[in-house]
Amino acid sequence: DIQVTQSPSSLSASVGDRVTITCRASQSIRNYLAWYQQKPGKAPKLLIYAASSLQSGVPSRFSGSGSGTDFSLTISSLQPEDYATYYCQQTYSKPCSFGQGTKVEIK
Amino acid sequence: EVQLLESGGGLVQPGGSLRLSCEASGFLFSSFDMSWVRQAPGKGLEWVSGVSATGRSTYYADSVKGRFTTSRDNSKKTFTVQMDSLRADDTAFYYCAKEGRAAPNSFDYWGQGILVTVSS
């Protein structure tokens, strides 16, 4: 099974900051990676699929990059509504494993 | 509007059984693979099981293989998981999730989640 390791587990940032979260797969998954945002008490929301494609309705300040084993999610200018937990997920094969999550907190 | 509505959660004793259902609307249900994803309270996401659009293929995480059975009824637009031999570590919110059109195994719509508590 493919493992995905996400870092950092948490970070503190201010409104307007550029934030980057990374995800590493245990083997090459080409571009088969998705990113989700989850707020407390809510279901996850798909942000990025196929490593860099923005899901419909997601603000353009979110972007994804990478291929093979190393990937990143960047928020270009953090907004108050972006404080949440973010998960990566390898979509290359089932079981389609998730990273451990990164909690983005207010600095 | 796509909607996924889970039902069937609750409290069950260790070793017991529970059946979760997901009722889908707002999209062509028979065209999309579906999955269950769970989240223990305060923990991360764990993919649990999935079923192909036709229902012919099913997939399971090692943690539930042999204990959970996933199925679907395309005529009723429902997706279910029968959970047997439940353990305390199965306690979690269970989400029904629809696979995205543009990328397999990514989930573009999720239900609101339903809590399963395994405790004596």
Side-chain angles (χ1 to χ4, degrees), chain B residues 29-42:
Chain B
F29 181 70
S30 59
S31 292
F32 294 92
D33 291 10
M34 300 292 294
S35 280
W36 291 99
V37 177
R38 69 185 180 183
Q39 185 171 38

Side-chain angles (χ1 to χ4, degrees), chain A residues 53-69:
Chain A
S53 295
L54 197 66
Q55 175 69 0
S56 175
V58 174
S60 58
R61 62 181 179 273
F62 291 93
S63 64
S65 65
S67 66
T69 60

Side-chain angles (χ1 to χ4, degrees), chain A residues 1 32 34 36 38 41-46 48-50 55 87 89-100, chain B residues 33 35 37 39 43-47 50-51 59-62 95 99 102-112:
Chain A
D1 296 353
Y32 289 94
Y36 299 85
Q38 187 180 32
K42 299 292 187 181
K45 173 187 174 183
L46 179 64
I48 301 283
Y49 62 91
Q55 175 69 0
Y87 294 92
Q89 178 211 8
Q90 66 83 9
T91 61
Y92 184 80
S93 64
K94 288 185 170 69
C96 35
S97 42
F98 291 87
Q100 301 90 330
Chain B
D33 291 10
S35 280
V37 177
Q39 185 171 38
K43 302 298 183 181
L45 300 170
E46 180 188 15
W47 177 85
V51 63
Y59 311 89
Y60 300 94
D62 286 347
Y95 294 97
E99 282 205 3
N105 294 326
S106 66
F107 306 119
D108 59 356
Y109 288 94
W110 299 62
Q112 83 285 356

Side-chain angles (χ1 to χ4, degrees), chain A:
Chain A
D1 296 353
I2 299 172
Q3 311 302 318
V4 288
T5 304
Q6 196 174 330
S7 61
S9 56
S10 65
L11 63 90
S12 296
S14 301
V15 172
D17 284 354
R18 182 182 181 88
V19 169
T20 298
I21 299 167
T22 63
C23 186
R24 174 166 287 178
S26 59
Q27 66 182 71
S28 175
I29 56 172
R30 294 160 59 183
N31 70 333
Y32 289 94
L33 191 100
W35 290 97
Y36 299 85
Q37 176 193 67
Q38 187 180 32
K39 296 182 178 179
K42 299 292 187 181
K45 173 187 174 183
L46 179 64
L47 300 176
I48 301 283
Y49 62 91
S52 59
S53 295
L54 197 66
Q55 175 69 0
S56 175
V58 174
S60 58
R61 62 181 179 273
F62 291 93
S63 64
S65 65
S67 66
T69 60
D70 293 312
F71 303 86
S72 61
L73 172 71
T74 297
I75 309 171
S76 60
S77 177
L78 196 68
Q79 298 301 300
E81 60 268 31
D82 300 336
Y83 290 97
T85 300
Y86 294 84
Y87 294 92
C88 61
Q89 178 211 8
Q90 66 83 9
T91 61
Y92 184 80
S93 64
K94 288 185 170 69
C96 35
S97 42
F98 291 87
Q100 301 90 330
T102 296
K103 187 173 184 178
V104 176
E105 298 175 304
I106 300 171
K107 190 172 185 179

